[in-house]
């Protein structure tokens, strides 16, 4: 009896993809502990009731003063006694600086993931964050300005690591296991917060506050070794994955791709119908003139997909954002059906079919040129090539819109009016 292929069901918790989820759990655990470490340690760092012998790094003290006392500070360094004169306002700036760094890299991280790969971008972000965590106690001795800079750069590194995880799951997680895998990975944040709040104070009291940074910074470095060893951008290139699991992931994603491929057409048909209803509503209520309606829907149908196309390369790390934009591009472009596309019925109803045939001919010609141009652009470099394709299409749309806004009309032209023959 012939054996049926078993690609529908893959291995579960003993599979490589669940191992990846555990490593991401560990990575998220590490990053959140590094992020919260300062919130625990600062209680001892600014406790001004303690006496200490080393030169404090004050808020307004110049860097030169700290450098001149560096050798003496190292010799007299007592991790239990270091105190910094940081006002509550300065502490607020220090705490918020890491958030500023995260915000700065939320959008560029998608672009960087497309260039360097999600594995290298996430691993680099985790490594940089871990090294900066180890450097934080020394940065505090140099001055509060350096601490703010370190925390900001650390936030940028963590921002790259946070957002890039979904790029990996887009290629590793079967649709029916996506919730399980991402929650296993994401639960590292809650677990890390629990651990750092439980043991952070004990570490500070027993070993000194700098060891909070040393311990969790070192933990991050160990996690980086696991990351670069085990994590791969997709299952097709992983050397240790089983054939069964690889087939399971690939077949599951292929089935989902078929469903996703139909969504842009659903969006396009919906926008076409809704756009037509709205256009006629505006005309029937005399809210806008005919030419205004045509130019309005032409603007929406050309600017919205252009905006989505420009943004698309920068959110490549976000699976959901990429899918939404790819659905919106063809969907919103069909708003032009209530704009310049039917404008021939307004300006020359007698010759509408003839003019529509000419415009369709130009459309087919544009399809030939765009396919050739796309092939040329992506042949040089796939990542940058597609980015240039999106930018070029947006530029063509904007140019066409400007031309139509300048010269578009909605009145029946003289040459298209029916002429009554007079017989003598």
């Amino acid at each position: 009896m012939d054996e049926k292929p078993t690609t529908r069901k893959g291995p579960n918790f003993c599979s490589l993809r669940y191992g990846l989820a555990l490593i991401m759990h560990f990575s998220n655990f590490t990053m959140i502990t590094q992020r919260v470490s300062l919130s625990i340690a600062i209680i001892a760092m600014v406790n001004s009731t303690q006496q200490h012998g080393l030169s404090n790094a004050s808020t307004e003290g110049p860097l030169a003063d700290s450098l001149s006392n560096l050798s003496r500070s190292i010799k007299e360094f007592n991790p239990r006694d270091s105190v910094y004169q940081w006002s509550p306002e300065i502490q607020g700036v220090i705490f918020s600086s890491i958030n500023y760094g995260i915000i700065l890299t939320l959008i560029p991280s998608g672009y960087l993931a497309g260039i360097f790969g999600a594995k290298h971008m996430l691993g680099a972000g985790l490594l940089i964050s871990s090294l900066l965590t180890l450097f934080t106690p020394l940065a505090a001795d140099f001055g509060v300005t350096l601490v703010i800079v370190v925390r900001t750069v650390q936030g940028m590194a963590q921002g790259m690591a946070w957002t890039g995880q979904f790029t990996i799951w887009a290629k590793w997680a079967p649709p029916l296991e996506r919730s399980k895998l991402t929650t296993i990975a994401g639960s590292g944040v809650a677990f890390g917060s629990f651990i750092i709040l439980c043991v952070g104070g004990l570490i500070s009291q027993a070993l000194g506050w700098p060891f909070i940074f040393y311990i969790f910074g070192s933990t991050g470095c160990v996690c980086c070794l696991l990351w670069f060893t085990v994590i791969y951008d997709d299952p097709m290139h992983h050397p240790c994955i089983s054939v069964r699991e690889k087939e399971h992931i690939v077949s599951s994603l292929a089935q989902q791709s078929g469903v996703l491929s139909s969504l842009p057409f659903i969006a396009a048909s919906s926008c076409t119908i809704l756009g037509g209803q709205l256009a006629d509503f505006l005309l029937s209520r005399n809210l806008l003139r005919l030419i205004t309606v045509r130019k309005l829907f032409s603007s929406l149908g050309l600017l919205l997909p252009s905006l989505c196309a420009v943004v698309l390369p920068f959110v490549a790390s976000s699976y959901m954002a990429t899918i939404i934009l790819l659905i919106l591009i063809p969907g919103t472009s069909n708003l032009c059906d209530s704009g310049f596309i039917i404008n021939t019925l307004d300006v020359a109803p007698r010759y509408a079919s003839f003019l529509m045939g000419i415009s369709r001919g130009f459309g087919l010609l544009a399809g030939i040129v765009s396919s050739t141009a796309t092939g040329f652009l992506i042949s040089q470099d796939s990542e940058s090539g597609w980015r240039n394709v999106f930018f070029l299409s947006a530029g063509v749309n904007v140019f066409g819109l400007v031309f139509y806004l300048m010269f578009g009309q909605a009145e029946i032209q003289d040459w298209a009016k029916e002429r009554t023959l007079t017989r003598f």
Side-chain angles (χ1 to χ4, degrees), residues 200-236:
L202 298 177
I203 294 174
S204 178
Q205 185 177 7
L207 302 175
W209 63 262
F211 280 88
I212 299 177
F213 300 98
Y214 297 153
I215 290 174
F216 291 105
S218 301
T219 302
C221 293
V222 173
C223 184
C224 287
L225 294 177
L226 288 174
W227 181 274
F228 285 110
T229 304
V230 180
I231 299 291
Y232 278 73
D233 286 326
D234 59 76
M236 300 302 297

Side-chain angles (χ1 to χ4, degrees), residues 376-392:
F376 174 77
L377 290 173
I378 65 176
S379 64
Q380 309 298 320
D381 181 82
S382 178
E383 298 292 342
S384 62
W386 278 113
R387 184 175 67 252
N388 293 333
V389 168
F390 294 136
F391 290 166
L392 180 59

Side-chain angles (χ1 to χ4, degrees), residues 293-312:
V293 170
R294 296 293 181 247
K295 291 184 176 181
L296 171 63
F297 281 88
S298 297
S299 300
L300 293 175
L302 291 173
L303 289 180
L304 291 179
S306 299
L307 179 62
C308 294
V310 170
V311 173
L312 185 58

Side-chain angles (χ1 to χ4, degrees), residues 260-271:
L260 294 177
S261 298
S262 65
L263 294 181
F265 297 97
I266 297 175
S269 60
S270 301
C271 287

Side-chain angles (χ1 to χ4, degrees), residues 278-417:
L278 180 58
D280 285 347
F281 172 80
L282 295 174
L283 291 173
S284 63
R285 299 299 177 90
N286 294 320
L287 298 176
L288 296 175
R289 295 187 302 129
L290 178 59
I291 185 59
T292 305
V293 170
R294 296 293 181 247
K295 291 184 176 181
L296 171 63
F297 281 88
S298 297
S299 300
L300 293 175
L302 291 173
L303 289 180
L304 291 179
S306 299
L307 179 62
C308 294
V310 170
V311 173
L312 185 58
F314 300 100
V315 296
S317 64
S318 173
Y319 175 80
M320 186 57 64
T322 301
I323 294 299
I324 292 174
L325 290 177
L326 289 175
I327 294 173
L328 288 177
I329 288 175
T332 54
S333 65
N334 274 37
L335 292 173
C336 290
D337 286 1
S338 300
F340 68 86
I341 290 181
I342 63 169
N343 202 193
T344 55
L345 291 173
D346 303 321
V347 299
R350 290 181 63 193
Y351 307 109
S353 297
F354 173 73
L355 295 175
M356 184 60 70
I358 294 177
S359 64
R360 294 295 185 188
F362 278 107
L364 293 174
L365 181 62
I368 296 172
V369 174
S370 63
S371 299
T372 305
T374 300
F376 174 77
L377 290 173
I378 65 176
S379 64
Q380 309 298 320
D381 181 82
S382 178
E383 298 292 342
S384 62
W386 278 113
R387 184 175 67 252
N388 293 333
V389 168
F390 294 136
F391 290 166
L392 180 59
S393 64
V396 172
N397 281 352
V398 172
F399 175 79
L401 175 62
V402 172
F403 185 87
Y404 180 72
L405 293 177
M406 292 176 60
F407 301 106
Q409 298 182 19
E411 298 82 12
I412 298 180
Q413 301 300 298
D414 293 336
W415 52 267
K417 293 179 180 178

